[in-house]
Amino acid sequence: DLLLARSPEQVTALDAADRLGTRNDRLDDLSEGYVGQTHALERALLDLLRRYDRDALAPDARLSYDIYAWYLDDLVRGQPFAEHDYPITQCRVGHHYGLLSLLTEAHPLDTPADAEDYVARLSRVDEQVDQMLAGMERRAGAGVVLPRFIVEKTEDVLTDYLGTRSRDPEDIAGLPG
């Protein structure tokens, strides 16, 4: 739950806010400092887990131990490559798509408190976008940049998401012009 709580967006997607005693009013913190703290927590949890005597556990608990150890080890081994990705691309896996999905599909809007949380999240979008841009600048400084043809496709996708251009229905349907 400690790692999950560090991702408010994942908490919402898993409908776990009540279980964790939190609200759905924040976005993930993408700042370099927060990511570094999360990495430190991942390492500390793995170290703590490895201190347990696995052999003293019941068979089903050993399986849970092994799965969690694998998961944490995978996270820790991946830390040096945390910014070797492309967080914004033309694909439906980028930051822009996740944020859109969170705000249009995952965020509950059943109560007045849900609506207040939604407005609070909206007020944090600019800050998160700034964090994303800072991360992309760090990536560029390390030589992790999108190929030009993907940048061009991504510009088209983002333009569509932002609603600044309507697509020709014939283009969408793949019909000849």
Side-chain angles (χ1 to χ4, degrees):
D1 285 353
L2 287 174
L3 287 177
L4 176 59
R6 295 188 68 78
S7 175
E9 295 173 31
Q10 191 67 18
V11 168
T12 298
L14 295 173
D15 194 23
D18 288 340
R19 181 172 62 86
L20 295 176
T22 187
R23 296 194 55 173
N24 292 308
D25 61 346
R26 296 179 299 125
L27 295 173
D28 288 358
D29 186 335
L30 305 178
S31 68
E32 186 175 19
Y34 194 80
V35 170
Q37 291 170 358
T38 302
H39 287 173
L41 178 59
E42 292 165 351
R43 291 188 303 271
L45 288 172
L46 180 59
D47 182 56
L48 179 63
L49 181 65
R50 287 180 173 161
R51 292 182 196 172
Y52 282 93
D53 182 5
R54 180 193 175 280
D55 295 330
L57 299 171
D60 58 337
R62 269 183 283 198
L63 178 61
S64 293
Y65 175 102
D66 291 344
I67 292 169
Y68 196 46
W70 174 86
Y71 172 72
L72 290 172
D73 184 64
D74 188 57
L75 291 175
V76 169
R77 284 185 296 111
Q79 289 175 357
F81 311 102
E83 291 190 337
H84 289 208
D85 63 346
Y86 303 133
I88 296 180
T89 70
Q90 83 282 10
C91 301
R92 290 185 169 233
V93 295
H95 174 264
H96 56 289
Y97 184 75
L99 183 60
L100 179 66
S101 177
L102 173 73
L103 295 173
T104 61
E105 297 173 24
H107 188 100
L109 288 170
D110 300 320
T111 68
D114 292 340
E116 290 171 7
D117 288 349
Y118 188 84
V119 170
R121 270 199 164 134
L122 289 176
S123 73
R124 292 179 168 97
V125 169
D126 285 347
E127 177 184 5
Q128 191 187 58
V129 168
D130 288 343
Q131 292 170 346
M132 173 60 60
L133 292 173
M136 291 177 72
E137 287 177 11
R138 287 192 304 276
R139 286 168 177 82
V144 180
V145 293
L146 286 168
R148 177 162 304 286
F149 78 96
I150 293 180
V151 169
E152 291 166 359
K153 289 179 180 282
T154 303
E155 286 175 352
D156 289 342
V157 168
L158 292 176
T159 299
D160 288 345
Y161 276 0
L162 296 173
T164 56
R165 171 176 52 131
S166 297
R167 297 196 90 189
D168 185 326
E170 291 182 357
D171 289 343
I172 296 169
L175 299 173

